[in-house]
Amino acid sequence: MDLVYIRGLEVETVIGIYDWEREIRQVVNLDLEMGFNIQGAAQTEDVNNTLNYKTVSDRLIDFISQSEFQLVETMAEEIAQLVRDEFGVKWLRLRLGKPGAVPQAEDVGVIIERGERF
């Protein structure tokens, strides 16, 4: 399986369960690995034959920055569904972090995998 990936994408959003969190914007960061056959792009050198990580990144920045979730778990599920539906990704692994949520930790969050590996 080939992987197209995005690492360290940072986006400001409204995320959290506490009242004070609902009034501010916080940074979430994500790493995304997407199963996608890149052989067609490699043979043709045509970006239309691959999964364009710039297009995916732009879409995620737009979606996350406009969203307001309480839980990172919900946000992760919505991101995974968006990527699978809009970009035809059959399998993905997503790490979604909320740095600063626990002062003693560099980062906390979830890692999910969705879909079937090919």
Side-chain angles (χ1 to χ4, degrees), residues 80 84 89-93 112-118:
R84 294 186 73 211
V89 171
K90 303 292 185 216
W91 175 89
L92 63 80
R93 176 185 295 127
I112 65 172
E113 289 188 23
R114 296 294 177 265
E116 297 294 321
R117 285 178 166 253
F118 58 94

Side-chain angles (χ1 to χ4, degrees), residues 40 46 64 66 116:
D46 184 347
I64 295 167
Q66 294 183 40
E116 297 294 321

Side-chain angles (χ1 to χ4, degrees), residues 53-99:
Y53 46 77
K54 172 75 167 112
T55 303
V56 175
S57 296
D58 288 345
R59 179 66 177 105
L60 292 177
I61 291 167
D62 183 57
F63 173 73
I64 295 167
S65 67
Q66 294 183 40
S67 70
E68 293 190 12
F69 292 103
Q70 292 186 0
L71 299 177
V72 293
E73 291 85 350
T74 308
M75 181 182 283
E77 288 290 347
E78 293 290 326
I79 290 169
Q81 194 64 51
L82 180 153
V83 171
R84 294 186 73 211
D85 289 348
E86 293 187 19
F87 296 98
V89 171
K90 303 292 185 216
W91 175 89
L92 63 80
R93 176 185 295 127
L94 169 68
R95 182 203 57 80
L96 181 62
K98 188 177 170 187

Side-chain angles (χ1 to χ4, degrees), residues 39-57:
Q39 288 177 327
Q43 292 170 352
T44 64
E45 289 212 78
D46 184 347
V47 72
N48 295 313
N49 293 332
T50 193
L51 180 59
N52 187 323
Y53 46 77
K54 172 75 167 112
T55 303
V56 175
S57 296

